[in-house]
């Protein structure tokens, strides 16, 4: 049974979504915005053009802490919001999902101490600014050092990831119940109730990452996480709960065996999984899931929210999801989402001391003319963009948080992007056939990967 819109007057809830903050504690306003290193906007201030802006910079730069603080400071009041009612009566948020990547991109010089400092500093900032709002975090790939190095739980001793998981459990103990902290310490994943009728599952997507060399040992289910996921979903199905899944790396970016098995799980539990939320790409996009038998009926969607960081050449941004709240028969599905940005050109040109003005970039249903925000609506959006160039260019503008690259997205780029939006599992050429791509699927996939990595 596909989800249905809530009846008139039914309560809704707003969920704050933050991902890819990438705090650079060495960011210096006025420093060089262009440099030969992988990360710039650091070092001594300089005179003239090409200097890093106070609030951030369109370059290969991350963010100073005061920009992240300014984002949190201007959010609606959250301190009086109930933690468990699943409502939104105060105009604030019912919960926050935070999907990782806390440290900066200076991966060549990071230590465990640096990563733990970033974890504790940003966690303390969120707790101070969000007050009593309950936050549900997920582990990003940049939390480890070396970056992407997440050994399976059976690896013990100094090479294990216990130093990171133990620190996360200590930092997040006020947000998560004891049972969640137990599996967090074991493997970086957990489940917890958001409010009555809605369960959250936070996955450690580093156990499917193409960049995690530990998975050369076992790429199928190295931490037993997929088996655990099926057990949690089966219990939720039995108990009549709906489930939100959060994680850092989107499923189609995973290793093929893990990604296809995850796709099968989503298909099996399509009536239980109300929504999926990811980050990692720094862009504003999504991945669709279809029924396995015909690959024609949309059964789920993985929302991929844009990053807080500017890396690379982007405005800072964050996402707010509107979901069906707690009432009898609620789908707990996403009803709409809004993306907010800080226009760096305007913010950096403002007088010193003036607070930055975050503004709503767009609402999904309003911008794209969606009847609802269910998977079938996003499937139709992809099909409409195939022939409606103006609609596609609007999506391209939103994809880059209002600061698209100078190079336009031509026919091959467009075909690759539309294919990627339909592909909820890795390396699946069948999902692109209905879109009549101009190039073979492997070439499309390679084109999009090159654009994303450059």
């Amino acid at each position: 049974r596909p989800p249905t819109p809530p009846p008139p007057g039914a309560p809704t809830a707003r969920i704050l979504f933050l991902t890819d903050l990438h705090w650079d504690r060495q960011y210096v306003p006025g420093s060089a915005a262009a440099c030969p290193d992988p990360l710039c906007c650091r070092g001594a201030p300089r005179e003239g053009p090409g200097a890093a802006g106070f609030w951030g910079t369109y370059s290969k730069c991350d963010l100073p802490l005061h920009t992240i603080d300014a984002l949190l400071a201007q959010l609606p009041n959250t301190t009086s919001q109930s933690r468990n009612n699943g409502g939104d009566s105060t105009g604030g948020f019912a919960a926050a999902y935070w999907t990782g990547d806390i440290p900066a991109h200076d991966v060549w010089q990071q230590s465990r101490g640096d990563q733990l400092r970033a974890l504790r500093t940003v966690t303390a900032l969120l707790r101070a600014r969000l007050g009593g709002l309950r936050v549900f975090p997920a582990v990003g790939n940049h939390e480890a050092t070396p970056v992407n190095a997440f050994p399976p739980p059976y690896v013990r001793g100094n090479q294990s990831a216990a130093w990171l998981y133990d620190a996360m459990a200590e930092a997040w103990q006020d947000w998560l119940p004891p049972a969640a902290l137990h599996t967090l310490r074991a493997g970086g994943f957990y489940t917890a109730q958001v409010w009555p009728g809605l369960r959250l599952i936070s996955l450690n997507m580093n156990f499917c990452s193409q960049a995690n060399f530990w998975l050369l040992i076992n790429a199928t289910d190295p931490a037993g996480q997929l088996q655990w996921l099926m057990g949690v979903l089966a219990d939720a199905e039995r108990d009549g709960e709906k489930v939100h899944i959060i994680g850092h790396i989107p499923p189609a970016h995973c290793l093929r065996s893990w990604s296809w098995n995850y796709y099968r799980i989503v298909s099996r539990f399509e009536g239980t999984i109300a929504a999926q939320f990811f980050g990692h790409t720094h862009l504003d996009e999504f991945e669709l899931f279809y029924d396995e038998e015909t690959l024609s009926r949309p059964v789920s969607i993985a929302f991929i929210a844009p990053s807080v960081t500017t890396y690379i050449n982007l405005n800072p941004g964050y996402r707010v999801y509107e979901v069906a709240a707690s009432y009898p028969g609620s789908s707990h599905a996403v009803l709409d989402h809004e993306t907010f940005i800080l226009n760096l050109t305007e913010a950096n040109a403002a007088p010193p001391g003036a607070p930055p003005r975050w503004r709503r970039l767009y609402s999904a249903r309003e911008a794209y003319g969606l009847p609802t925000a269910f998977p079938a609506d996003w499937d139709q959006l992809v099909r409409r963009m195939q022939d409606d160039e103006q609609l596609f260019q609007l999506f391209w503008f939103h994809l880059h948080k209002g600061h698209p690259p100078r190079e336009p997205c031509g026919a091959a780029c467009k075909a690759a992007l539309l294919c990627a939006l339909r592909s909820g599992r890795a390396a699946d050429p069948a999902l692109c056939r209905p879109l009549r791509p101009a190039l073979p699927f492997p070439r499309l996939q390679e084109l999009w990967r090159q654009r994303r990595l450059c």
Side-chain angles (χ1 to χ4, degrees):
R1 299 187 185 95
T4 57
T12 62
R14 283 158 54 88
I15 295 177
L16 172 66
F17 191 90
L18 302 170
T19 189
D20 298 274
L21 277 65
H22 289 293
W23 165 45
D24 184 4
R25 63 187 179 90
Q26 296 185 41
Y27 185 100
V28 178
S31 60
C35 70
D37 295 328
L39 186 65
C40 303
C41 298
R42 331 171 95 205
R46 46 173 284 177
E47 298 289 338
F54 182 79
W55 297 107
T57 304
Y58 297 128
S59 186
K60 50 180 181 179
C61 303
D62 282 318
L63 287 180
L65 194 63
H66 59 254
T67 302
I68 300 172
D69 183 48
L71 183 162
L72 300 172
Q74 57 85 45
L75 293 172
N77 188 323
T78 56
T79 55
S80 60
Q81 181 66 46
S82 169
R83 292 161 62 110
N84 298 307
N85 68 354
D88 194 20
S89 59
T90 67
F93 303 108
Y97 298 165
W98 175 29
T99 58
D101 269 14
I102 308 169
H105 286 85
D106 57 337
V107 298
W108 70 94
Q109 61 180 20
Q110 290 171 346
S111 67
R112 290 184 178 182
D114 296 326
Q115 310 307 79
L116 296 181
R117 178 191 297 188
L119 166 68
R120 291 162 181 158
T121 300
V122 176
T123 297
L125 181 62
L126 264 66
R127 185 175 289 110
R129 285 298 189 185
L130 299 181
L133 185 70
R134 197 170 175 198
V135 179
F136 296 91
V139 183
N141 63 299
H142 275 265
E143 269 73 275
T145 183
V147 65
N148 300 310
F150 286 83
Y154 56 76
V155 175
R156 304 294 183 180
N158 188 52
Q159 289 187 323
S160 78
W163 64 274
L164 178 60
Y165 300 148
D166 287 344
M168 288 176 168
E170 181 180 349
W172 301 339
Q173 59 184 333
D174 293 339
W175 293 331
L176 303 177
L181 295 174
H182 176 74
T183 55
L184 175 63
R185 289 182 184 274
F189 50 88
Y190 65 87
T191 182
Q193 188 183 72
V194 183
W195 56 66
L198 178 61
R199 174 159 299 279
L200 178 126
I201 296 175
S202 177
L203 296 177
N204 186 349
M205 301 298 285
N206 295 292
F207 291 128
C208 75
S209 171
Q210 299 175 8
N212 185 3
F213 292 159
W214 282 98
L215 302 190
L216 290 170
I217 302 172
N218 173 9
T220 306
D221 192 14
Q225 184 177 213
L226 288 178
Q227 183 176 2
W228 169 86
L229 171 64
M230 286 194 64
V232 176
L233 289 171
D235 290 344
E237 182 182 66
R238 179 198 63 208
D239 298 337
E241 291 182 316
K242 298 297 183 181
V243 170
H244 285 178
I245 295 177
I246 67 171
H248 183 68
I249 301 173
H253 290 64
C254 291
L255 291 167
R256 192 175 187 272
S257 59
W258 199 102
S259 179
W260 282 54
N261 283 331
Y262 178 81
Y263 200 95
R264 295 188 67 191
I265 293 171
V266 171
S267 180
R268 161 62 182 85
F269 290 99
E270 64 169 290
T272 299
I273 299 171
Q276 305 176 64
F277 308 92
F278 298 91
H280 183 61
T281 71
H282 295 197
L283 301 180
D284 185 340
E285 49 189 329
F286 57 86
E287 293 173 357
L288 279 160
F289 289 66
Y290 295 87
D291 69 293
E292 288 196 296
E293 291 76 17
T294 68
L295 293 180
S296 62
R297 182 175 61 86
V299 300
S300 188
I301 181 172
F303 293 101
I304 304 173
S307 62
V308 174
T309 186
T310 56
Y311 193 93
I312 299 175
N313 294 322
L314 299 168
N315 286 309
Y318 66 96
R319 168 69 53 80
V320 175
Y321 291 98
E322 181 187 5
V323 303
S326 185
Y327 60 87
S330 173
S331 68
H332 297 285
V334 172
L335 306 176
D336 198 0
H337 68 64
E338 297 175 303
T339 297
F340 296 81
I341 65 163
L342 177 64
N343 185 305
L344 287 180
T345 303
E346 297 176 0
N348 288 329
R357 187 174 69 90
W358 297 77
R359 64 178 179 87
R360 188 181 81 156
L361 180 64
Y362 77 103
S363 153
R365 289 182 61 185
E366 178 185 306
Y368 301 132
L370 304 179
T372 58
F374 300 148
D377 301 295
W378 296 95
D379 172 70
Q380 285 300 313
L381 175 64
V382 176
R383 298 176 188 277
R384 287 161 52 206
M385 287 194 291
Q386 177 79 10
D387 300 315
D388 188 335
E389 186 62 23
Q390 185 176 359
L391 179 64
F392 175 78
Q393 291 302 326
L394 177 64
F395 183 86
W396 181 253
F397 181 76
H398 293 156
L399 179 77
H400 296 92
K401 290 185 286 181
H403 193 257
R406 291 190 181 94
E407 177 190 358
C409 187
C413 163
K414 178 179 178 178
L417 173 54
L418 295 182
C419 174
L421 297 177
R422 286 178 55 87
S423 303
R425 58 187 178 188
D428 186 4
L431 289 171
C432 293
R433 287 174 190 155
L435 293 172
R436 310 183 306 278
L439 293 172
F441 174 75
R443 179 59 180 150
L444 288 178
Q445 196 172 49
E446 182 61 26
L447 276 171
W448 191 241
R449 185 181 295 115
Q450 289 173 0
R451 174 176 288 274
R452 299 281 282 282
L453 292 177
C454 66

